[in-house]
Amino acid sequence: MRVCHLSLTDFRSYPSAEIALEPGVTAFVGPNGHGKTNLVEAIGYVATQSSHRVATDAPLVRHGAERAIVRALVARDERRALVELEINPGRANRARVNRSPVARPREALGLLRTVLFAPEDLALVKGDPSERRRFLDDLLVARAPRFAGVRADYDRVLKQRNTLLRTAAATKGRRRGPRRQDDEAAFSSAGAGDVLSTLDVWDSHLVRHGAELLAARLDLVEALRPLTAKAYATLAPASAAADLEYRTGVKLSTDCGRSRDILEEALRASLAEARQAELERGVTLVGPHRDDLHLALGELPARGYASHGESWSFALALRLAAYDLLRADGGDPVLILDDVFAELDGQRRTRLAEIVAPAEQVLITAAVPDDVPAELAGARFDVTEGSATRVR
Ligand SMILES: Nc1ncnc2c1ncn2[C@@H]1O[C@H](COP(=O)(O)OP(=O)(O)OP(=O)(O)O)[C@@H](O)[C@H]1O
Ligand SMILES: [Mg+2]
């Protein structure tokens, strides 16, 4: 798979940009702050409809502009797909595929698959569990775009359930202070006495979507485990072995298997157990939104223990494992390496370069040409003062 053409309107620092891309390696080289990452971020956005740098869309729209448009012509074997995304902060985004509007932007997911490596990946190892949950869920969506719907459904139900729990906590008088507006809405629609029966209804929705997400994450982690261990051993052969474990607050019995039905039952039972504490605290205390992907190096957790270099290697290994999985599903994803080589020592630089070189398309950003390893010689754009010019 590859991107043949990228076209931007009011995306980040670019009023407009038209960039023709070829298969193989392309490097974007230029001074700090001149717009290299902005370009590859746009390509990542087409694949995931989110940025690897910011949690909201607003910073993606050029300062002073109302909306941004990103267009990518994607080639997969002989097929071509033109994906167009209109980013409207504060309002619904819109998408078109092959010039036809789609009902929801997420219907345009899956047409482009990328694996993006960036300095921000260090947060996968050092950051909060939410970073690792996002890694897993993004990968689920990349492998099967329908998970974007599962995730959205789960988040929606969770939000509603939390609102209801907050209302219940407030009516019990355990929470002081003014109620929030959405609490009021839930409160009046439910009525104080009905809170518990309404909660049961939300529980069943939460259980259904939650178990689906949980089942998928458990399978995914099992698939990632050996691939991550192998990638880590390649990048850091002298270090202790890397391992992954999905840790959930849902009580899973070890001998009953992990089918959807069993996970639904387990989640239902864990919610029932947590019910009293949830009513007191006004928040949902068990479910995939509280889980974590535990990363270990030998006996020790990576978070809080791994060195800077080890953490980097672990983050790279996770991305490489994701790349392996996506490749095994069929179709080489586009590899994006944003400023990663400058962060690596010579040995890891060479190893990473050798691994990624055979990919159908590799896009690299670097501040100086020397940061692009010799193994990855290819096309080059100079990016200066917000414009990208093909020089090789
Ligand atoms: N929404 C926006 N509107 C206008 N300019 C923006 C917007 N978002 C970012 N910029 C500008 O884009 C520039 C950053 O671009 P980018 O992150 O692509 O740089 P870079 O070339 O990757 O630099 P580095 O080598 O430091 O990583 C900054 O100067 C920033 O002010
Ligand atoms: Mg950059």
Side-chain angles (χ1 to χ4, degrees):
M1 172 177 296
R2 66 192 170 91
V3 177
C4 309
H5 194 92
L6 175 70
S7 160
L8 303 178
T9 305
D10 291 331
F11 184 88
R12 290 280 197 186
S13 54
Y14 290 90
S16 76
E18 298 293 336
I19 295 177
L21 293 164
E22 280 159 42
V25 178
T26 299
F28 298 96
V29 181
N32 296 138
H34 282 231
K36 305 179 296 292
T37 300
N38 294 346
L39 292 175
V40 294
E41 183 181 40
I43 293 177
Y45 192 89
V46 173
T48 62
Q49 296 181 10
S50 64
S51 156
H52 69 288
R53 295 198 283 190
V54 285
T56 61
D57 282 348
L60 305 180
V61 176
R62 193 169 66 88
H63 185 67
E66 217 170 284
R67 69 179 68 86
I69 296 172
V70 183
R71 280 189 197 89
L73 180 63
V74 180
R76 184 171 191 174
D77 305 320
E78 298 310 308
R79 282 167 292 161
R80 299 282 180 278
L82 179 65
V83 184
E84 298 176 86
L85 301 174
E86 184 182 295
I87 305 170
N88 298 307
R91 284 177 300 129
N93 291 344
R94 294 198 293 189
R96 297 201 300 168
V97 175
N98 295 328
R99 307 209 177 273
S100 301
V102 291
R104 277 181 298 210
R106 67 176 188 245
E107 285 165 35
L109 288 167
L111 293 165
L112 173 63
R113 302 203 297 181
T114 57
V115 176
L116 195 153
F117 300 72
E120 286 80 2
D121 288 345
L122 210 48
L124 283 176
V125 182
K126 295 181 181 249
D128 291 340
S130 61
E131 304 278 351
R132 290 176 289 281
R133 289 194 296 266
R134 181 180 161 188
F135 166 76
L136 293 176
D137 291 347
D138 282 351
L139 185 52
L140 284 179
V141 173
R143 295 183 80 193
R146 73 176 192 85
F147 275 104
V150 176
R151 175 153 74 160
D153 286 342
Y154 183 77
D155 289 345
R156 181 178 45 80
V157 170
L158 179 65
K159 210 170 145 208
Q160 307 259 30
R161 192 176 183 276
N162 281 341
T163 301
L164 198 66
L165 284 169
R166 267 202 311 276
T167 312
T171 47
K172 278 185 153 192
R174 290 199 170 87
R175 276 194 149 207
R176 301 272 176 256
R179 268 197 240 124
R180 291 167 35 164
Q181 225 170 13
D182 49 354
D183 291 3
E184 294 286 357
F187 187 74
S188 54
S189 72
D194 290 338
V195 166
L196 287 181
S197 59
T198 312
L199 199 53
D200 286 338
V201 176
W202 287 113
D203 280 9
S204 65
H205 294 310
L206 195 81
V207 160
R208 189 156 46 89
H209 302 306
E212 188 166 11
L213 202 52
L214 185 57
R217 285 191 191 164
L218 287 165
D219 285 348
L220 180 63
V221 172
E222 278 318 297
L224 282 172
R225 263 183 89 195
L227 299 173
T228 308
K230 188 167 145 263
Y232 186 82
T234 308
L235 291 166
S239 168
D243 200 6
L244 310 177
E245 187 192 11
Y246 188 78
R247 292 203 172 158
T248 173
V250 180
K251 296 209 174 83
L252 302 174
S253 66
T254 43
D255 52 352
C256 288
R258 302 258 162 113
S259 73
R260 271 279 295 287
D261 288 352
I262 286 168
L263 292 177
E264 282 194 14
E265 266 326 299
L267 180 51
R268 201 187 313 280
S270 296
L271 279 172
E273 213 171 288
R275 169 71 69 96
Q276 201 48 44
E278 289 188 334
L279 284 170
E280 273 160 29
R281 292 178 49 188
V283 65
T284 302
L285 293 171
V286 280
H289 65 290
R290 307 277 287 203
D291 295 348
D292 195 4
L293 174 66
H294 179 76
L295 311 179
L297 284 179
E299 298 289 296
L300 296 174
R303 191 181 182 203
Y305 289 84
S307 74
H308 186 74
E310 288 169 336
S311 300
W312 243 115
S313 296
F314 212 137
L316 287 173
L318 286 168
R319 293 285 177 207
L320 287 170
Y323 173 55
D324 278 343
L325 266 193
L326 289 172
R327 209 165 33 159
D329 290 344
D332 230 355
V334 174
L335 283 178
I336 299 173
L337 299 117
D338 182 22
D339 242 345
V340 292
F341 291 107
E343 301 267 349
L344 302 176
D345 61 31
Q347 192 189 35
R348 283 183 304 166
R349 213 182 235 244
T350 307
R351 292 215 159 96
L352 181 63
E354 284 168 355
I355 296 171
V356 302
E360 185 176 342
Q361 189 172 50
V362 186
L363 308 174
I364 302 170
T365 72
V368 290
D370 282 353
D371 282 343
V372 182
E375 293 83 352
L376 294 174
R380 197 175 114 190
F381 284 82
D382 274 351
V383 181
T384 40
E385 289 165 15
S387 80
T389 316
R390 174 83 190 255
V391 291
R392 193 167 70 207

